Amino acid sequence: MEYISTRGAAPALDFEGATLAGLASDGGLYLPREWPRLTHTQIRELRGLSYAALATRIMRPFVAGSLTEDELGALCEAVYGDFGHAAVTPLVQMDETHWLLELFHGPTLAFKDVALQMLGHLFETFLERRDERLTIVGATSGDTGSAAINAVAGRDRIEIFMLHPHERVSEVQRRQMTTVRAPNVHNIAIDGSFDDAQRHVKRMFADCEINQPLNLGAVNSINWARLMAQIVYYFHSALQLGAPDRAVAYSVPTGNFGDVFAGYVAAKMGLPIERLIVATNVNDILHRAISEGDYSTGETTATITPSMDIQVSSNFERLLFDCGGADGKRDGAAMAAQMADFDEARAMTLTAAQRDGAAALFSSARADQDDTARALQWAYRNADQVIDPHTGVGLHASLGAVAAGHVKPGTPIVTLATAHPAKFRDAVERAVGVRPALPSRVGDLFGREEHYTQLAGDYETSRDFVLKHAAASAS
Ligand SMILES: *Cc1c(COP(=O)(O)O)cnc(C)c1O
């Protein structure tokens, strides 16, 4: 499979190249040149496969040319063979219509483990093959950082620098990053928001002074391999609910638009998804973009769902590119121009093709803090489920989906449960009066010493820190 940039000016790469590159050299994001399609018969034949076997079948066309089916199968077994739950991503019924897809059974209690555990193995395989090293720089609103650090800690050919916004991640999130003791792990707390951290990271990729000597790699969901791994659980859950003979709707707590974009890819591959609901908190740029075509940034507001406290959603560019050119075709040059304008104005209006393309599959909803708390209470009272606030934002959208005309009555609605409630237990306790216990697999999180460096919020300070410390450990 060949991968092309959303901005049309970077060389096409194979899967291995796109995985190691992360961001394309023209500032765009990689996407497969075309979407592989499965027929209904082929989808029906996937019923009953184990998660690892299903993952192999779904990812096979995307890695063709870079991994053999046997290599991919072995990776999937290694990654999904020892998750905290035998089903990897179990589906839990709440009532006739509503289901929870539990994505938090990995080592760091958020859905990001599902993809980042895979990415860690992919990096290792490709770096061995090339006899190269990689310096990962990433920005995190909390969960990516812990999942990425867990996935690469102690690996020989990888060094990781993770930037998080100081005092804007939960204590469990911070400790999951800062208590990992491995010489290749560097935690940085910057004075600023997640968007500042993400902007610094993107700038490092475009900055030859750092990208050339260090061979930078990305673990944010700008990395295609992450999205690819997330396609699998849409198939896994829809097959259980009757696909391909019955359509399913999903509500996805959304920040960077990675998780829900994986659902879009599943639909492109032929999975009958009736609707993808983009659920946001009060940082609602995506809700405004999808409902009104207005993609304009504001100030980031800190909420009880920090992993969604985002203004600029990197992966939205992938959707705009895929449906955005004239006649709904892809147009890299037009995308590059649109993004250049956006970088200037911090705002853009979607084209008619982009609005129509998005409206064909996506709806959106927004939850404030009270809506979120009410959704947690609904789950607790009606289904005996203690859910995390991010999941609550998604559930709020699910509960209103039929009334809002987003989903037909009778269609199963699956809310993606993106984090374990114990990861955000203060907010959960305030909403439902229950303090969820941390699962034993996270170990002695509160007894271990923390290690991180606090830095000023400007770009140069972060860049110089990475240059200095990466160099120090290489020499
Ligand atoms: C990362 C994250 C999200 C947002 O996912 P995106 O792929 O960035 O849209 C939602 N909930 C939790 C718990 C997360 O960690």
Side-chain angles (χ1 to χ4, degrees):
M1 175 70 79
E2 241 193 350
Y3 288 83
I4 59 170
S5 165
T6 51
R7 300 195 191 172
L13 296 176
D14 63 5
F15 174 73
E16 177 178 326
T19 301
L20 292 175
L23 199 65
S25 59
D26 58 3
L29 307 174
Y30 279 108
L31 273 188
R33 190 180 285 287
E34 71 256 337
W35 301 120
R37 291 280 305 179
L38 300 176
T39 63
H40 271 211
T41 310
Q42 286 170 325
I43 294 174
R44 225 172 267 127
E45 285 164 5
L46 301 172
R47 285 182 184 160
L49 293 181
S50 71
Y51 193 92
L54 179 69
T56 308
R57 291 289 297 278
I58 298 300
M59 294 195 259
R60 183 174 64 184
F62 294 107
V63 306
S66 296
L67 291 171
T68 65
E69 185 165 356
D70 285 351
E71 287 169 326
L72 177 64
L75 283 180
C76 289
E77 281 297 336
V79 173
Y80 300 117
D82 67 10
F83 252 61
H85 194 291
V88 183
T89 59
L91 199 53
V92 174
Q93 184 159 22
M94 289 191 290
D95 69 8
E96 264 167 33
T97 308
H98 295 283
W99 303 74
L100 284 175
L101 178 56
E102 293 186 349
L103 301 176
F104 50 71
H105 293 280
T108 71
L109 314 182
F111 82 91
K112 294 183 170 80
D113 288 320
V114 179
L116 278 162
Q117 290 290 316
M118 185 76 199
L119 188 62
H121 280 76
L122 288 168
F123 278 150
E124 177 154 70
T125 304
F126 294 148
L127 292 170
E128 285 284 334
R129 193 184 272 180
R130 296 178 167 210
D131 190 21
E132 283 180 6
R133 297 180 53 84
L134 192 69
T135 306
I136 292 168
V137 288
T140 185
S141 48
D143 295 330
T144 296
S146 50
I149 287 169
N150 188 286
V152 306
R155 289 191 195 272
D156 278 345
R157 294 173 177 275
I158 302 176
E159 187 154 41
I160 184 165
F161 291 84
M162 189 52 64
L163 280 64
H164 72 264
H166 185 55
E167 289 181 343
R168 295 205 196 177
V169 300
S170 82
E171 187 178 7
V172 172
Q173 287 179 313
R174 192 189 69 239
R175 286 183 166 274
Q176 283 182 320
M177 298 190 278
T178 59
T179 61
V180 174
R181 271 317 261 163
N184 67 334
V185 172
H186 308 268
N187 278 291
I188 300 170
I190 69 156
D191 292 329
S193 67
F194 168 71
D195 289 299
D196 296 328
Q198 179 161 256
R199 208 163 38 241
H200 293 352
V201 167
K202 282 194 176 171
R203 208 166 142 191
M204 287 186 212
F205 276 86
D207 185 342
C208 309
E209 227 182 292
I210 175 164
N211 195 355
Q212 305 264 291
L214 295 188
N215 190 25
L216 297 186
V219 289
N220 287 88
S221 52
I222 56 174
N223 194 312
W224 163 257
R226 266 187 66 179
L227 304 192
M228 175 189 74
Q230 292 169 204
I231 302 166
V232 178
Y233 48 69
Y234 287 93
F235 275 89
H236 193 247
S237 52
L239 286 164
Q240 291 169 66
L241 293 173
D245 303 308
R246 180 157 77 147
V248 179
Y250 290 88
S251 173
V252 186
T254 296
N256 230 344
F257 205 75
D259 208 3
V260 75
F261 189 76
Y264 173 80
V265 178
K268 287 279 163 190
M269 292 175 75
L271 189 67
I273 294 180
E274 183 179 301
R275 195 128 291 266
L276 290 169
I277 305 168
V278 175
T280 74
N281 63 24
V282 295
N283 297 293
D284 62 352
I285 182 170
L286 285 169
H287 174 51
R288 282 182 284 115
I290 289 167
S291 57
E292 299 160 30
D294 165 29
Y295 190 79
S296 57
T297 61
E299 284 294 305
T300 315
T301 305
T303 72
I304 54 170
T305 46
S307 299
M308 298 158 65
D309 289 348
I310 274 179
Q311 285 295 334
V312 179
S313 287
S314 303
N315 286 293
F316 198 49
E317 179 173 340
R318 287 187 154 112
L319 177 69
L320 298 181
F321 171 68
D322 198 46
C323 59
D327 314 322
K329 295 235 172 58
R330 293 170 164 190
D331 183 342
M335 193 71 237
Q338 194 176 12
M339 292 309 294
D341 288 347
F342 173 73
D343 283 342
E344 281 285 303
R346 312 300 295 159
M348 65 183 168
T349 306
L350 305 199
T351 66
Q354 288 167 338
R355 285 195 69 169
D356 292 349
L361 192 59
F362 294 92
S363 303
S364 64
R366 166 195 199 270
D368 65 20
Q369 192 151 320
D370 290 342
D371 298 327
T372 308
R374 275 196 296 274
L376 263 65
Q377 288 152 10
W378 185 94
Y380 188 53
R381 290 187 194 133
N382 293 281
D384 208 15
Q385 292 290 319
V386 177
I387 62 171
D388 107 283
H390 301 79
T391 309
V393 169
L395 181 60
H396 169 76
S398 295
L399 294 173
V402 172
H406 295 157
V407 177
K408 292 189 208 114
T411 302
I413 306 176
V414 177
T415 302
L416 270 54
T418 49
H420 191 288
K423 209 162 182 178
F424 302 96
R425 50 197 186 162
D426 294 337
V428 172
E429 187 174 13
R430 277 196 301 276
V432 298
V434 175
R435 191 163 180 82
L438 278 168
S440 58
R441 65 182 180 282
V442 302
D444 173 28
L445 201 57
F446 285 83
R448 294 199 299 263
E449 199 185 330
E450 293 191 75
H451 301 270
Y452 64 97
T453 307
Q454 195 185 333
L455 294 181
D458 62 294
Y459 170 70
E460 286 74 17
T461 304
S462 291
R463 183 200 55 190
D464 294 347
F465 182 90
V466 173
L467 271 171
K468 178 155 173 256
H469 290 83
S473 57
S475 61

